[in-house]
Amino acid sequence: MIIVLRPDVTKKQVDHIVEKVKKLGLKPMVSRGVERTIIGVIGEEDVLRVQPLEAFPGVEKVMPILKPYKLVSREFKSENSIIDVEGVKIGGKKIVVMAGPCSVESLEMLLDVGKKVKKAGASVLRGGAFKPRSSPYSFQGLGEEGLKFLRDVKKQTGMKIVTEVMDTRDVWMVEKYADILQVGARNMQNFNLLKEVGLSKKPILLKRGMSATVKEFLMSAEYILAAGNFNCILCERGIRTFEDATRFTLDLNAIPLIKQLSHLPVIVDPSHGTGKWGLVAPMAKAAIAAGADGLMIEVHPNPEEAFSDGEQSLVPYRFDAMMKELKAVAKAVGREI
Ligand code: PEP
Ligand code: MN
């Protein structure tokens, strides 16, 4: 249920409605837009049938949300959400590029890549310190030491940091170092983790599960918003199909579809989406043309020696060349990069 308030609603009236909704055992979520303030009501809404909220001063109309996801829906908020990561705004005109190695391997390598991707135009440094590997024998990440390297490179370059958290028990630690907490594809339906990061004050980057529908993806984001964290960025990173010539199939449909269904920013990861470095730049261009708000790209100075995902990593000079090519695509669709 959404309570749309009148443009001239007073703070006192908003507080009064919020109190009333709480007394009925429901959860009110106030969203202050540029033009309107609305209150989303979560819970067993049947009680509202005997309590017509339209009668309250300040209320313009009360509308049901028919979709299973409520807070993430466009019905709940018609304007695009812009997520501010210490001044880097995700979801606005400027396309935000997050780049860096798949795994944090050493401070020297991270600093080298960080400086190069920043120079090429990336504003967020990526790198996994906790790695969700298909095999227990593969490199699992440097853990807190890797997080410290990310923090050090942030200090030296001014880049913001995005890194994955895999376990509810590590959220407090990853939060200390990261500017954006990443929930990986394999954890998209780890509901306890979603609830935990929903309590965080840091923005969340939620990656689509490789076998998740768009509806399931949005329901997972709903967990984060319902726990109180509205700073959620969605990431399309490829899904499983019958095609096995590429690692995954990047679902470009999902970009305009999610932009229609939700107010949250959508970014695209063509590195995992294709699994092949030679396909990354073409699919990055396609993603921007389709309306993506940002990109996540794996970059490694020596992919041959990478601890993980070398085959899909761009070397820095190719990343730089791609960034130059992306400018024209961004301009053609009214964006900047
Ligand atoms: C990653 O971005 O490091 C990663 C593991 O991606 P995904 O969760 O999409 O597989
Ligand atoms: Mn990777």
Side-chain angles (χ1 to χ4, degrees):
M1 193 81 82
I2 292 176
I3 307 169
V4 181
L5 302 174
R6 292 167 49 92
D8 58 357
V9 70
T10 63
K11 183 174 179 308
K12 210 169 152 204
Q13 288 169 337
V14 175
D15 292 346
H16 178 60
I17 300 162
V18 164
E19 273 318 301
K20 186 74 202 178
V21 168
K22 280 189 190 157
K23 263 203 199 118
L24 291 167
L26 301 167
K27 195 170 171 191
M29 311 287 264
V30 180
S31 164
R32 289 192 170 81
V34 185
E35 285 164 20
R36 291 281 166 141
T37 296
I38 62 174
I39 304 174
V41 179
I42 308 295
E44 267 308 319
E45 295 166 12
D46 281 356
V47 287
L48 287 178
R49 291 194 212 296
V50 288
Q51 181 69 62
L53 286 167
E54 278 97 340
F56 280 62
V59 173
E60 184 165 294
K61 58 182 173 184
V62 180
M63 303 183 325
I65 305 181
L66 300 174
K67 304 238 169 52
Y69 41 86
K70 316 277 178 198
L71 303 171
V72 307
S73 72
R74 275 269 175 213
E75 283 103 317
F76 178 66
K77 185 167 178 244
S78 57
E79 319 93 87
N80 290 335
S81 283
I82 297 180
I83 295 171
D84 192 334
V85 185
E86 295 183 352
V88 173
K89 295 193 170 66
I90 305 173
K93 185 168 181 188
K94 194 166 162 59
I95 289 158
V96 173
V97 179
M98 308 180 184
C102 178
S103 303
V104 176
E105 299 175 7
S106 70
L107 179 58
E108 295 68 37
M109 185 274 260
L110 197 63
L111 184 59
D112 175 45
V113 174
K115 282 181 180 162
K116 287 176 176 150
V117 296
K118 186 184 177 194
K119 192 155 176 255
S123 47
V124 181
L125 179 67
R126 63 144 290 143
F130 294 96
K131 294 304 302 175
R133 305 308 300 280
S134 300
S135 165
Y137 308 118
S138 300
F139 176 62
Q140 303 286 311
L142 295 179
E144 189 166 10
E145 191 190 11
L147 296 175
K148 288 183 178 158
F149 294 163
L150 287 162
R151 177 197 56 195
D152 291 350
V153 177
K154 174 182 177 174
K155 265 193 208 140
Q156 295 197 48
T157 62
M159 294 186 83
K160 311 302 166 215
I161 300 298
V162 58
T163 195
E164 180 161 355
V165 57
M166 287 168 54
D167 193 313
T168 50
R169 292 167 297 185
D170 297 332
V171 172
W172 68 274
M173 188 211 290
V174 179
E175 235 176 9
K176 268 201 311 193
Y177 301 96
D179 302 304
I180 305 172
L181 305 178
Q182 178 171 324
V183 174
R186 290 157 191 82
N187 269 320
M188 189 205 83
Q189 285 188 316
N190 179 341
F191 300 114
N192 285 334
L193 183 60
L194 298 176
K195 285 182 202 164
E196 196 67 29
V197 297
L199 296 173
S200 174
K201 296 273 175 286
K202 294 275 166 92
I204 309 302
L205 177 81
L206 177 65
K207 296 190 90 175
R208 179 180 179 183
M210 57 190 80
S211 302
T213 63
V214 164
K215 188 165 147 191
E216 287 163 340
F217 188 21
L218 293 174
M219 291 302 287
S220 287
E222 184 78 13
Y223 267 90
I224 297 171
L225 274 70
N229 191 344
F230 276 66
N231 294 320
C232 182
I233 304 148
L234 302 172
C235 179
E236 162 58 41
R237 47 79 71 210
I239 52 173
R240 283 252 157 92
T241 66
F242 58 81
E243 180 56 75
D244 61 0
T246 48
R247 186 177 179 191
F248 295 99
T249 297
L250 190 67
D251 182 9
L252 288 172
N253 292 352
I255 308 162
L257 178 61
I258 296 172
K259 298 290 300 178
Q260 282 172 17
L261 297 173
S262 175
H263 53 88
L264 296 175
V266 178
I267 74 157
V268 171
D269 172 353
S271 305
H272 290 90
T274 62
K276 289 182 172 1
W277 69 262
L279 303 181
V280 170
M283 294 314 278
K285 288 179 199 161
I288 292 178
D293 297 301
L295 295 168
M296 175 175 260
I297 310 282
E298 286 188 340
V299 180
H300 196 285
N302 185 7
E304 203 182 299
E305 301 275 314
F307 290 7
S308 54
D309 289 350
E311 59 281 39
Q312 66 194 36
S313 298
L314 291 180
V315 286
Y317 84 85
R318 287 195 201 276
F319 175 75
D320 186 64
M322 177 190 80
M323 290 293 283
K324 292 194 169 93
E325 289 174 18
L326 291 177
K327 282 194 197 316
V329 183
K331 194 163 173 233
V333 292
R335 308 287 291 263
E336 278 164 21
I337 188 160

